[in-house]
Amino acid sequence: MRQDGLYWGPMTQPRVVPVPCLSDNYAYLVHLPGSTDTLVVDPSEPGPVEAALAQHGLTLVGILATHHHMDHVGGNEALAASREGLPIVASKYDENRVPGVTKLVNDGDTFDIAGLHVRCITVPGHTLGAVSFVIGDAVFTGDTLFIGGCGRLFEGTPAQMYDSLCVRLAALPGDTRVYCGHEYTASNARFAAVVEPGNDAITKLAERAKAAGQNKEPTVPSTIAAELAHNPFMRVREPSYKARYGSDDPATVLGKVRAEKDNFRG
Ligand SMILES: [Zn+2]
């Protein structure tokens, strides 16, 4: 990218290193290949992030918070304590509930950090301050879009989640890499198979999740195109969903799919 912010030629895409945290969370180191400056997305705890920084020889220059839940921001202050002035970015909505936040962003805001160009998309639904960060061909979706699923509606409405998933995130290029906040793929694929039996993309997702689990490997990243093919929450406009849930309104259908998933034990 040029200093004036205009792109030219093929862009160097960021390298993304998943950092497993807590029981099933992911933090992510994001940096340009060849640069040691790195961002971390959603550091729920400092230990695994510090270990990954040391392992990869990277220098932390900023934190991005997708939302205020402690299993996404619990490591902010410990990581910032030994790095004076470390920027911590979160939604303006979460001004008073993301620890250590230094930079507040609104929908559509862009900024440059660690040699990377970051674009913010507000995605209310799981929480009202949820934001996704687009960096090159990657998007960090926190607990809004999971592989094969979405987050619970703790604060937002089905209509908000529909807009976030099926309008805003769905508009990203199909080959955009999707990095989400939790490893829930196996369970999500089992639920998806109940909602939409006979969908080959869901069968493939279940097989992929099973193989990853056996090899103790993450299922991230997915892509936007793959999510549109196998994620029930992004498929609520399909005729079979209208029939199963008895509504022509996709936001209403999404709410019903979400309620069914909330009670799913599989
Ligand atoms: Zn959350």
Side-chain angles (χ1 to χ4, degrees):
M1 194 174 49
R2 304 189 323 207
Q3 287 300 314
D4 59 7
L6 297 174
Y7 292 99
W8 58 275
M11 184 180 160
T12 304
Q13 300 298 350
R15 175 172 178 247
V16 179
V17 180
V19 182
C21 291
L22 304 176
S23 60
D24 53 28
N25 278 77
Y26 288 121
Y28 296 102
L29 304 183
V30 190
H31 73 104
L32 273 181
S35 168
T36 56
D37 283 357
T38 189
L39 301 175
V40 64
V41 180
D42 285 0
S44 49
E45 51 177 345
V49 174
E50 295 283 17
L53 290 167
Q55 181 191 341
H56 294 277
L58 297 171
T59 302
L60 184 60
V61 300
I63 295 175
L64 307 184
T66 62
H67 64 298
H68 73 288
H69 287 159
M70 282 308 285
D71 62 332
H72 295 259
V73 299
N76 284 8
E77 287 178 319
L79 290 168
S82 54
R83 298 171 176 90
E84 198 177 332
L86 187 74
I88 300 179
V89 181
S91 164
K92 174 86 172 70
Y93 188 91
D94 285 340
E95 181 170 11
N96 297 314
R97 55 183 196 173
V98 166
V101 64
T102 66
K103 179 180 174 64
L104 299 167
V105 294
N106 294 298
D107 187 44
D109 282 359
T110 62
F111 57 93
D112 293 343
I113 187 170
L116 299 162
H117 189 64
V118 181
R119 180 161 62 93
C120 306
I121 306 175
T122 52
V123 283
H126 176 64
T127 69
L128 290 176
V131 56
S132 290
F133 299 103
V134 179
I135 305 176
D137 71 346
V139 63
F140 299 86
T141 57
D143 292 355
T144 300
L145 172 61
F146 292 132
I147 302 182
C150 75
R152 287 176 185 254
L153 299 179
F154 286 126
E155 297 179 3
T157 64
Q160 285 175 314
M161 189 58 117
Y162 172 76
D163 186 60
S164 294
L165 291 176
C166 303
V167 179
R168 320 202 90 203
L169 292 174
L172 293 170
D175 59 357
T176 304
R177 293 177 283 163
V178 175
Y179 292 93
C180 60
H182 289 268
E183 182 59 63
Y184 290 159
T185 308
S187 160
N188 287 341
R190 285 192 291 274
F191 175 71
V194 171
V195 172
E196 198 179 345
N199 178 330
D200 289 346
I202 292 172
T203 306
K204 287 196 180 98
L205 178 67
E207 289 168 356
R208 188 160 83 78
K210 191 173 174 191
Q214 285 168 348
N215 298 327
K216 300 206 178 331
E217 289 171 355
T219 56
V220 287
S222 182
T223 65
I224 292 293
E227 293 311 306
L228 290 168
H230 65 217
N231 190 320
F233 299 94
M234 294 187 90
R235 295 177 57 75
V236 291
R237 285 173 288 209
E238 295 292 316
S240 69
Y241 286 70
K242 292 182 183 175
R244 177 181 171 89
Y245 294 97
S247 174
D248 281 336
D249 173 46
T252 300
V253 172
L254 188 148
K256 292 186 173 192
V257 181
R258 185 61 258 173
E260 187 177 358
K261 177 68 165 72
D262 287 348
N263 296 307
F264 180 73
R265 301 284 175 269

